[in-house]
Amino acid sequence: MTARTTSKRKISKRKIIIAACTGGALLAVSPLVAQAAAPPPPTVAAKGAALLDASSGEKVFGKADNTVRPLASTTKLAVASVVLDTKGVNLEQQVPVKQEYRDYVTEHEASTADLQTGDKVTVNQLLYAALLPSGADAAYALADTFGEGDTPAERSESFIGKMNKKADDLGLTKTEFKTFAGISSKDVSTPLELAKLAKHNMENATFREVVKTKEYKGDAPAENGGTRHYTWTNTNQLLGSYKGVVGIKTGTTTPAGPCLVFAATRGDTTLVGTIQNSKDRYADAAKILDYGFDSDSAEDMKLRKLPSGAQTD
């Protein structure tokens, strides 16, 4: 586990010991003593974790943060990145839902937004559908729309290529994608590189708006000429449970274990972090954020409950 660095970060009053001497004069402890007084990094259950300062990119915390691990549905951060970084992207473009998208969910027993065949949903709605209930059907729809080729298979393969190019462009040398939904154990990254991808995504206003949403409700034209009403709940239970959390995304598969990408803002500081393969991902994230914010909020945290029937991931 790597201790927190102190460069470019303010040392809080909790970390500086001011001693009172006889006569009431105050003696400030030397910088070496002040640093020694800083609390130790927290112990977390996760096999890998990282926390970054979103402004400077400075690493605040790390545990096995350069070890490659499966991503599960946190892969969909790369889906969103490719879509939102597309020049001239039209978020209101309507995308017809194909039966292939639903079949993909069934075939892989993947999480779903329950998109209905023939409905016309917008690109913006597909981002909500992919990032809140972690819909593999929505991720497929985005890949099919923004990839190139003559068939859905060719277009999705093209899109996965764009996801890998995005990783290359961001300098994420240990990150690789084999699917758009995170269903493969070969969709991999490190805690640190995944945090860097999340930091990049959080620079986009649309992404920030989507991932901070606890519940999305929207309508779409249905194939029969009527209107379909969709409701999608954010699977990230840290949102609404820990003070300042503004996103981002869960992910769970057997090879990856429970994973979490998260971000929180307090004052003028935003921290972006990752948890990979943890039996207690939310408690881990809260501990790491407490460490970054010099807080004790994790002690009293009560997780937001998901509605009955909502997707879990």
Side-chain angles (χ1 to χ4, degrees):
M1 185 179 296
T2 304
R4 171 169 52 174
T5 57
T6 55
S7 62
K8 302 180 184 177
R9 295 183 65 80
K10 295 179 181 178
I11 301 176
S12 74
K13 63 182 181 180
R14 217 174 72 176
K15 296 173 186 165
I16 300 178
I17 302 172
I18 303 296
C21 70
T22 305
L26 295 179
L27 299 178
V29 178
S30 71
L32 288 176
V33 176
Q35 185 160 339
T43 299
V44 294
K47 291 184 178 180
L51 187 69
L52 298 180
D53 184 303
S55 295
S56 67
E58 176 192 356
K59 184 171 75 173
V60 180
F61 173 89
K63 176 182 178 181
D65 52 41
N66 282 310
T67 300
V68 172
R69 298 189 182 280
L71 286 168
S73 285
T74 62
T75 292
K76 297 183 180 96
L77 268 66
V79 173
S81 185
V82 170
V83 171
L84 291 171
D85 287 350
T86 297
K87 186 176 180 180
V89 60
N90 177 11
L91 296 176
E92 297 308 312
Q93 175 187 348
Q94 288 189 330
V95 177
V97 176
K98 299 177 182 178
Q99 184 62 37
E100 287 96 328
Y101 309 159
R102 293 179 59 84
D103 292 343
Y104 183 90
V105 167
T106 302
E107 179 184 355
H108 298 285
E109 297 181 343
S111 51
T112 180
D114 198 24
L115 300 177
Q116 297 297 302
T117 302
D119 287 2
K120 293 181 179 179
V121 293
T122 66
V123 170
N124 193 53
Q125 288 176 319
L126 287 173
L127 289 168
Y128 279 96
L131 295 171
L132 270 60
S134 198
D137 45 356
Y140 193 171
L142 289 169
D144 192 26
T145 301
F146 287 87
E148 282 83 42
D150 295 328
T151 66
E154 289 178 357
R155 288 189 290 271
S156 60
E157 191 65 28
S158 164
F159 186 84
I160 293 166
K162 293 184 180 185
M163 292 166 64
N164 283 307
K165 185 177 186 304
K166 176 61 62 178
D168 290 343
D169 291 346
L170 294 175
L172 310 181
T173 60
K174 294 184 177 182
T175 299
E176 185 174 9
F177 303 106
K178 296 294 185 181
T179 76
F180 48 74
I183 60 171
S184 171
S185 61
K186 294 182 179 180
D187 294 311
V188 297
S189 187
T190 70
L192 188 57
E193 289 194 358
L194 183 57
K196 290 178 179 178
L197 174 61
K199 174 183 175 297
H200 171 76
N201 281 17
M202 288 296 284
E203 294 169 3
N204 183 284
T206 298
F207 182 84
R208 293 196 303 271
E209 182 64 28
V210 171
V211 297
K212 76 176 184 180
T213 303
K214 296 176 187 175
E215 183 181 77
Y216 171 87
K217 291 186 177 183
D219 298 334
E223 186 177 33
N224 63 6
T227 299
R228 184 87 59 194
H229 304 287
Y230 283 106
T231 299
W232 297 310
T233 301
N234 198 320
T235 59
N236 176 14
Q237 291 177 264
L238 198 65
L239 189 66
S241 303
Y242 182 94
K243 179 183 176 183
V245 168
V246 289
I248 298 177
K249 180 81 185 72
T250 59
T252 305
T253 60
T254 299
C259 301
L260 179 67
V261 182
F262 55 95
T265 299
R266 291 188 181 181
D268 59 358
T269 300
T270 296
L271 301 176
V272 178
T274 55
I275 296 292
Q276 288 188 313
N277 201 341
S278 172
K279 61 184 180 182
D280 205 354
R281 57 185 169 181
Y282 297 115
D284 281 351
K287 288 179 185 178
I288 295 171
L289 286 171
D290 268 1
Y291 181 67
F293 286 127
D294 190 18
S295 168
D296 58 4
S297 300
E299 296 177 5
D300 302 317
M301 184 177 72
K302 294 182 179 180
L303 283 181
R304 172 176 62 94
K305 293 184 178 180
L306 300 180
S308 176
Q311 285 286 308
T312 58
D313 181 24

